[in-house]
PDB file of all heavy atoms in Angstrom:
ATOM      1  N   ASP A   1      25.067 113.285  -9.396  1.00 98.00           N
ATOM      2  CA  ASP A   1      24.674 113.789  -8.074  1.00 98.00           C
ATOM      3  C   ASP A   1      25.690 113.132  -7.036  1.00 98.00           C
ATOM      4  O   ASP A   1      25.725 112.064  -6.738  1.00 98.00           O
ATOM      5  CB  ASP A   1      23.236 113.299  -7.668  1.00 98.00           C
ATOM      6  CG  ASP A   1      22.827 113.890  -6.397  1.00 98.00           C
ATOM      7  OD1 ASP A   1      23.581 114.600  -5.727  1.00 98.00           O
ATOM      8  OD2 ASP A   1      21.618 113.609  -6.125  1.00 98.00           O
ATOM      9  N   LEU A   2      26.516 114.055  -6.435  1.00 98.00           N
ATOM     10  CA  LEU A   2      27.440 113.709  -5.429  1.00 98.00           C
ATOM     11  C   LEU A   2      27.119 114.380  -4.143  1.00 98.00           C
ATOM     12  O   LEU A   2      28.043 114.429  -3.213  1.00 98.00           O
ATOM     13  CB  LEU A   2      28.849 114.024  -5.832  1.00 98.00           C
ATOM     14  CG  LEU A   2      29.428 113.405  -7.098  1.00 98.00           C
ATOM     15  CD1 LEU A   2      30.873 113.785  -7.421  1.00 98.00           C
ATOM     16  CD2 LEU A   2      29.502 111.801  -6.933  1.00 98.00           C
ATOM     17  N   SER A   3      25.861 114.803  -3.930  1.00 98.00           N
ATOM     18  CA  SER A   3      25.501 115.443  -2.691  1.00 98.00           C
ATOM     19  C   SER A   3      25.667 114.655  -1.452  1.00 98.00           C
ATOM     20  O   SER A   3      25.822 115.212  -0.365  1.00 98.00           O
ATOM     21  CB  SER A   3      24.073 115.967  -2.844  1.00 98.00           C
ATOM     22  OG  SER A   3      23.220 114.937  -3.053  1.00 98.00           O
ATOM     23  N   SER A   4      25.579 113.369  -1.614  1.00 97.00           N
ATOM     24  CA  SER A   4      25.640 112.464  -0.266  1.00 97.00           C
ATOM     25  C   SER A   4      27.011 111.826  -0.101  1.00 97.00           C
ATOM     26  O   SER A   4      27.188 110.957   0.685  1.00 97.00           O
ATOM     27  CB  SER A   4      24.462 111.406  -0.367  1.00 97.00           C
ATOM     28  OG  SER A   4      24.648 110.561  -1.511  1.00 97.00           O
ATOM     29  N   ALA A   5      27.809 112.027  -1.193  1.00 98.00           N
ATOM     30  CA  ALA A   5      29.081 111.323  -1.033  1.00 98.00           C
ATOM     31  C   ALA A   5      30.198 111.909  -0.016  1.00 98.00           C
ATOM     32  O   ALA A   5      30.082 113.010   0.247  1.00 98.00           O
ATOM     33  CB  ALA A   5      29.762 111.426  -2.552  1.00 98.00           C
ATOM     34  N   THR A   6      30.868 110.926   0.478  1.00 97.00           N
ATOM     35  CA  THR A   6      32.044 111.378   1.411  1.00 97.00           C
ATOM     36  C   THR A   6      33.370 111.442   0.698  1.00 97.00           C
ATOM     37  O   THR A   6      34.317 112.018   1.103  1.00 97.00           O
ATOM     38  CB  THR A   6      32.060 110.411   2.580  1.00 97.00           C
ATOM     39  OG1 THR A   6      32.092 109.022   2.128  1.00 97.00           O
ATOM     40  CG2 THR A   6      30.849 110.519   3.412  1.00 97.00           C
ATOM     41  N   SER A   7      33.427 110.752  -0.473  1.00 98.00           N
ATOM     42  CA  SER A   7      34.603 110.762  -1.284  1.00 98.00           C
ATOM     43  C   SER A   7      34.228 110.395  -2.707  1.00 98.00           C
ATOM     44  O   SER A   7      33.181 109.612  -2.947  1.00 98.00           O
ATOM     45  CB  SER A   7      35.588 109.672  -0.854  1.00 98.00           C
ATOM     46  OG  SER A   7      35.250 108.404  -0.831  1.00 98.00           O
ATOM     47  N   ALA A   8      34.987 110.784  -3.772  1.00 98.00           N
ATOM     48  CA  ALA A   8      34.570 110.489  -5.070  1.00 98.00           C
ATOM     49  C   ALA A   8      35.836 110.524  -5.971  1.00 98.00           C
ATOM     50  O   ALA A   8      36.824 111.317  -5.751  1.00 98.00           O
ATOM     51  CB  ALA A   8      33.488 111.533  -5.643  1.00 98.00           C
ATOM     52  N   THR A   9      35.747 109.748  -6.999  1.00 98.00           N
ATOM     53  CA  THR A   9      36.873 109.793  -8.090  1.00 98.00           C
ATOM     54  C   THR A   9      36.290 109.687  -9.440  1.00 98.00           C
ATOM     55  O   THR A   9      35.070 109.224  -9.741  1.00 98.00           O
ATOM     56  CB  THR A   9      37.798 108.464  -7.950  1.00 98.00           C
ATOM     57  OG1 THR A   9      36.946 107.284  -8.076  1.00 98.00           O
ATOM     58  CG2 THR A   9      38.440 108.475  -6.619  1.00 98.00           C
ATOM     59  N   LEU A  10      36.977 110.174 -10.408  1.00 99.00           N
ATOM     60  CA  LEU A  10      36.626 110.224 -11.759  1.00 99.00           C
ATOM     61  C   LEU A  10      37.714 109.288 -12.507  1.00 99.00           C
ATOM     62  O   LEU A  10      38.835 109.506 -12.316  1.00 99.00           O
ATOM     63  CB  LEU A  10      36.637 111.578 -12.375  1.00 99.00           C
ATOM     64  CG  LEU A  10      36.615 111.550 -14.001  1.00 99.00           C
ATOM     65  CD1 LEU A  10      35.393 111.014 -14.664  1.00 99.00           C
ATOM     66  CD2 LEU A  10      36.845 113.059 -14.531  1.00 99.00           C
ATOM     67  N   SER A  11      37.306 108.356 -13.355  1.00 98.00           N
ATOM     68  CA  SER A  11      38.079 107.571 -14.046  1.00 98.00           C
ATOM     69  C   SER A  11      37.655 107.318 -15.466  1.00 98.00           C
ATOM     70  O   SER A  11      36.526 107.417 -15.809  1.00 98.00           O
ATOM     71  CB  SER A  11      38.525 106.219 -13.311  1.00 98.00           C
ATOM     72  OG  SER A  11      37.363 105.402 -13.447  1.00 98.00           O
ATOM     73  N   PHE A  12      38.617 107.083 -16.381  1.00 99.00           N
ATOM     74  CA  PHE A  12      38.289 106.717 -17.843  1.00 99.00           C
ATOM     75  C   PHE A  12      39.520 106.230 -18.486  1.00 99.00           C
ATOM     76  O   PHE A  12      40.801 106.422 -18.031  1.00 99.00           O
ATOM     77  CB  PHE A  12      37.758 107.938 -18.531  1.00 99.00           C
ATOM     78  CG  PHE A  12      38.709 109.206 -18.507  1.00 99.00           C
ATOM     79  CD1 PHE A  12      39.666 109.210 -19.545  1.00 99.00           C
ATOM     80  CD2 PHE A  12      38.367 110.123 -17.678  1.00 99.00           C
ATOM     81  CE1 PHE A  12      40.533 110.424 -19.433  1.00 99.00           C
ATOM     82  CE2 PHE A  12      39.250 111.315 -17.632  1.00 99.00           C
ATOM     83  CZ  PHE A  12      40.297 111.357 -18.552  1.00 99.00           C
ATOM     84  N   THR A  13      39.351 105.635 -19.638  1.00 98.00           N
ATOM     85  CA  THR A  13      40.499 105.371 -20.625  1.00 98.00           C
ATOM     86  C   THR A  13      40.362 106.121 -21.802  1.00 98.00           C
ATOM     87  O   THR A  13      39.140 106.628 -22.164  1.00 98.00           O
ATOM     88  CB  THR A  13      40.465 103.800 -20.940  1.00 98.00           C
ATOM     89  OG1 THR A  13      39.258 103.471 -21.522  1.00 98.00           O
ATOM     90  CG2 THR A  13      40.556 102.910 -19.792  1.00 98.00           C
ATOM     91  N   PHE A  14      41.411 106.425 -22.514  1.00 98.00           N
ATOM     92  CA  PHE A  14      41.445 107.333 -23.682  1.00 98.00           C
ATOM     93  C   PHE A  14      42.469 106.907 -24.634  1.00 98.00           C
ATOM     94  O   PHE A  14      43.570 106.275 -24.235  1.00 98.00           O
ATOM     95  CB  PHE A  14      41.483 108.692 -23.372  1.00 98.00           C
ATOM     96  CG  PHE A  14      42.893 109.175 -22.990  1.00 98.00           C
ATOM     97  CD1 PHE A  14      43.607 109.891 -23.960  1.00 98.00           C
ATOM     98  CD2 PHE A  14      43.493 109.026 -21.744  1.00 98.00           C
ATOM     99  CE1 PHE A  14      44.834 110.327 -23.726  1.00 98.00           C
ATOM    100  CE2 PHE A  14      44.741 109.517 -21.455  1.00 98.00           C
ATOM    101  CZ  PHE A  14      45.526 110.138 -22.456  1.00 98.00           C
ATOM    102  N   THR A  15      42.237 107.192 -25.941  1.00 98.00           N
ATOM    103  CA  THR A  15      43.240 106.939 -26.970  1.00 98.00           C
ATOM    104  C   THR A  15      43.092 108.219 -27.828  1.00 98.00           C
ATOM    105  O   THR A  15      42.087 108.965 -27.868  1.00 98.00           O
ATOM    106  CB  THR A  15      42.903 105.777 -27.865  1.00 98.00           C
ATOM    107  OG1 THR A  15      41.487 105.844 -28.373  1.00 98.00           O
ATOM    108  CG2 THR A  15      42.961 104.497 -27.051  1.00 98.00           C
ATOM    109  N   THR A  16      44.257 108.525 -28.565  1.00 98.00           N
ATOM    110  CA  THR A  16      44.256 109.675 -29.462  1.00 98.00           C
ATOM    111  C   THR A  16      44.520 109.194 -30.897  1.00 98.00           C
ATOM    112  O   THR A  16      45.114 108.031 -31.065  1.00 98.00           O
ATOM    113  CB  THR A  16      45.394 110.672 -28.974  1.00 98.00           C
ATOM    114  OG1 THR A  16      46.723 109.971 -29.081  1.00 98.00           O
ATOM    115  CG2 THR A  16      45.156 111.187 -27.614  1.00 98.00           C
ATOM    116  N   ALA A  17      44.158 110.138 -31.819  1.00 98.00           N
ATOM    117  CA  ALA A  17      44.350 109.772 -33.235  1.00 98.00           C
ATOM    118  C   ALA A  17      45.032 111.069 -33.865  1.00 98.00           C
ATOM    119  O   ALA A  17      44.303 111.984 -33.961  1.00 98.00           O
ATOM    120  CB  ALA A  17      42.983 109.429 -33.937  1.00 98.00           C
ATOM    121  N   ASN A  18      46.247 110.884 -34.298  1.00 98.00           N
ATOM    122  CA  ASN A  18      46.905 111.993 -35.112  1.00 98.00           C
ATOM    123  C   ASN A  18      47.110 113.308 -34.418  1.00 98.00           C
ATOM    124  O   ASN A  18      47.209 114.307 -35.010  1.00 98.00           O
ATOM    125  CB  ASN A  18      46.285 112.128 -36.419  1.00 98.00           C
ATOM    126  CG  ASN A  18      46.148 110.768 -37.221  1.00 98.00           C
ATOM    127  OD1 ASN A  18      47.141 110.067 -37.403  1.00 98.00           O
ATOM    128  ND2 ASN A  18      44.881 110.392 -37.527  1.00 98.00           N
ATOM    129  N   LEU A  19      47.118 113.209 -33.081  1.00 98.00           N
ATOM    130  CA  LEU A  19      47.210 114.572 -32.377  1.00 98.00           C
ATOM    131  C   LEU A  19      48.613 115.077 -32.320  1.00 98.00           C
ATOM    132  O   LEU A  19      49.560 114.194 -32.246  1.00 98.00           O
ATOM    133  CB  LEU A  19      46.682 114.539 -31.011  1.00 98.00           C
ATOM    134  CG  LEU A  19      45.117 114.160 -30.785  1.00 98.00           C
ATOM    135  CD1 LEU A  19      44.803 114.408 -29.336  1.00 98.00           C
ATOM    136  CD2 LEU A  19      44.294 115.107 -31.633  1.00 98.00           C
ATOM    137  N   GLU A  20      48.821 116.263 -32.228  1.00 97.00           N
ATOM    138  CA  GLU A  20      50.101 116.921 -32.054  1.00 97.00           C
ATOM    139  C   GLU A  20      50.175 117.610 -30.631  1.00 97.00           C
ATOM    140  O   GLU A  20      49.013 117.689 -30.097  1.00 97.00           O
ATOM    141  CB  GLU A  20      50.337 117.931 -33.146  1.00 97.00           C
ATOM    142  CG  GLU A  20      50.386 117.312 -34.597  1.00 97.00           C
ATOM    143  CD  GLU A  20      50.254 118.393 -35.595  1.00 97.00           C
ATOM    144  OE1 GLU A  20      50.008 119.561 -35.410  1.00 97.00           O
ATOM    145  OE2 GLU A  20      50.507 117.969 -36.962  1.00 97.00           O
ATOM    146  N   ALA A  21      51.330 118.135 -30.282  1.00 97.00           N
ATOM    147  CA  ALA A  21      51.499 118.729 -29.017  1.00 97.00           C
ATOM    148  C   ALA A  21      50.601 119.919 -28.897  1.00 97.00           C
ATOM    149  O   ALA A  21      50.074 120.269 -27.767  1.00 97.00           O
ATOM    150  CB  ALA A  21      52.848 119.142 -28.800  1.00 97.00           C
ATOM    151  N   ALA A  22      50.201 120.674 -29.892  1.00 98.00           N
ATOM    152  CA  ALA A  22      49.449 121.826 -29.878  1.00 98.00           C
ATOM    153  C   ALA A  22      47.946 121.481 -29.774  1.00 98.00           C
ATOM    154  O   ALA A  22      47.139 122.455 -29.415  1.00 98.00           O
ATOM    155  CB  ALA A  22      49.667 122.686 -31.090  1.00 98.00           C
ATOM    156  N   ASP A  23      47.573 120.347 -30.063  1.00 98.00           N
ATOM    157  CA  ASP A  23      46.173 119.881 -30.054  1.00 98.00           C
ATOM    158  C   ASP A  23      45.843 119.560 -28.511  1.00 98.00           C
ATOM    159  O   ASP A  23      46.319 118.567 -27.973  1.00 98.00           O
ATOM    160  CB  ASP A  23      45.939 118.668 -30.858  1.00 98.00           C
ATOM    161  CG  ASP A  23      46.173 119.038 -32.339  1.00 98.00           C
ATOM    162  OD1 ASP A  23      45.821 120.054 -32.800  1.00 98.00           O
ATOM    163  OD2 ASP A  23      46.910 118.072 -32.962  1.00 98.00           O
ATOM    164  N   THR A  24      45.035 120.366 -27.979  1.00 98.00           N
ATOM    165  CA  THR A  24      44.807 120.091 -26.545  1.00 98.00           C
ATOM    166  C   THR A  24      43.247 120.054 -26.175  1.00 98.00           C
ATOM    167  O   THR A  24      42.397 120.743 -26.867  1.00 98.00           O
ATOM    168  CB  THR A  24      45.375 121.408 -25.616  1.00 98.00           C
ATOM    169  OG1 THR A  24      44.657 122.672 -26.030  1.00 98.00           O
ATOM    170  CG2 THR A  24      46.825 121.469 -25.729  1.00 98.00           C
TER     171      THR A  24
END
């Protein structure tokens, strides 16, 4: 719920396993 927000950001960390360029 961001109805009362004046600013907002999304953040996360991620890792990949055996992905190729075509894997999106």
